[in-house]
Amino acid sequence: AEARAALARLRSALPGAAPQAEPTAPTDAAPSPLPAPPESAVQTDEGVIPIESLLLRGPAALREALALRPTVEGLAAGASPELRDRIAELFDLVRLGVEEPTTS
């Protein structure tokens, strides 16, 4: 019960979190499982963070996505050539999104 209360306090402290009711006193009933994280969440070593709470937007988010390129390409090393080509194309498009447009 103490861990659940601490988790509820942490979740409510995240930016954009809805206020949560105080947990009730423990009962003899079996504890209910913790809710699954939303689909729009990021798993990190520190736990699950709702993606809406990330402060990255626009070019900063694109630069962060580009920083993932070596990891994603490493994970896809054994994939089909078509998938590796699509991943390369995706990251090339992200890189273009970061670059300033050139004038002709």
Side-chain angles (χ1 to χ4, degrees):
E2 185 178 335
R4 288 178 205 273
L7 181 60
R9 285 192 303 275
L10 287 171
R11 284 187 176 157
S12 66
L14 290 173
Q20 297 191 4
E22 287 296 318
T24 57
T27 64
D28 291 336
S32 60
L34 293 174
E39 288 184 24
S40 62
V42 175
Q43 179 71 40
T44 67
D45 291 339
E46 293 81 31
V48 176
I49 301 170
I51 200 157
E52 293 84 6
S53 70
L54 296 177
L55 301 177
L56 298 174
R57 299 278 189 269
L62 293 174
R63 284 190 299 274
E64 189 66 24
L66 283 176
L68 296 172
R69 187 174 193 160
T71 302
V72 172
E73 288 178 335
L75 292 170
S80 69
E82 294 84 11
L83 177 58
R84 290 193 315 268
D85 289 345
R86 291 294 185 179
I87 290 170
E89 182 180 2
L90 171 68
F91 281 109
D92 288 344
L93 290 170
V94 172
R95 182 181 45 77
L96 288 171
V98 173
E99 291 177 2
E100 291 293 322
T102 58
T103 55
S104 302

